[in-house]
Amino acid sequence: TDREMPRTVTTSGLGVAMAEPDQATVRLGVEVQADTAIDAFDQANEQTQALIDALLDAGIAEENIQTRVVRLVPVFGPAEAATPAPDLPGVTPQGEVIGYRATNLVRVMVETIEDVGPVLDAAVEAGGNVIQGVSFGFADATEVLNQAREEAFADAMAKAMQLAELANASLGEVLSINDFSRVPVPVA
């Protein structure tokens, strides 16, 4: 008996939606060096509090400021002044500890793109001396994603219709849809 194999057409579609970002995330903070660990830590905390106060004064909501990194590391002098450790082969000698470096970093959500410059200015004026970067995004990417999906679906359907026509066939119901959406990447 000849069983008729189900005939299917499988295509994929590409959809791209362009939109300007409406918010930004800034990663910034303070880094200080002092002779003792406690001095470095205290100075970094003091400068960080001044930074956070300046961000609040600049209109950033408290919930949009998050501490991301608190780090304290020793600072070594020149290695040539170090005494090699004969009982630890393969270990590169380090110089003596000459101080400590403390770093505090915060993540700041800036809800309006136009406020990024003034926020950075306020942070630097308050003692912020580390700016790791600014990334742009969307408060709600739903509309942008929906637009891209509509375009992708239309693209996939156009390909399916062309393939069906080339095969001298017609399209039936859609049997399966897979969505591989990615978070929109802002283009400024």
Side-chain angles (χ1 to χ4, degrees):
T1 63
D2 287 332
R3 287 196 335 194
E4 194 172 305
M5 296 287 292
R7 297 172 53 170
T8 62
V9 174
T10 302
T11 63
S12 62
L14 175 64
V16 177
M18 302 291 247
E20 288 190 26
D22 60 6
Q23 67 180 21
T25 302
V26 181
R27 290 167 313 284
L28 52 85
V30 300
E31 185 171 276
V32 299
Q33 186 170 324
D35 292 337
T36 67
I38 192 69
D39 285 346
F41 194 70
D42 286 347
Q43 289 173 30
N45 285 339
E46 192 175 303
Q47 273 187 250
T48 301
Q49 189 56 57
L51 173 81
I52 290 171
D53 291 343
L55 292 170
L56 293 169
D57 290 346
I60 301 297
E62 191 171 346
E63 62 269 14
N64 288 343
I65 304 170
Q66 297 178 341
T67 300
R68 301 307 266 185
V69 174
V70 176
R71 181 175 35 236
L72 180 68
V73 295
V75 177
F76 296 95
E80 58 269 4
T83 310
D87 54 338
L88 298 172
V91 174
T92 305
Q94 293 179 324
E96 296 293 318
V97 172
I98 60 169
Y100 292 85
R101 182 175 299 119
T103 307
N104 289 357
L105 300 175
V106 295
R107 179 182 166 270
V108 181
M109 178 65 63
V110 182
E111 294 178 344
T112 306
I113 296 295
E114 293 78 23
D115 291 339
V116 172
V119 164
L120 290 174
D121 287 343
V124 170
E125 286 176 23
N129 58 5
V130 176
I131 298 176
Q132 287 193 327
V134 178
S135 57
F136 298 94
F138 303 96
D140 182 4
T142 304
E143 192 175 311
V144 178
L145 284 169
N146 287 345
Q147 183 181 348
R149 281 191 202 103
E150 287 173 15
E151 191 176 306
F153 186 82
D155 183 45
M157 284 299 292
K159 290 175 186 175
M161 287 189 274
Q162 180 191 24
L163 291 172
E165 187 178 310
L166 291 170
N168 210 15
S170 61
L171 292 177
E173 292 181 21
V174 174
L175 300 177
S176 167
I177 296 176
N178 294 309
D179 179 16
F180 300 102
S181 299
R182 286 188 275 155
V183 175
V185 177
V187 178

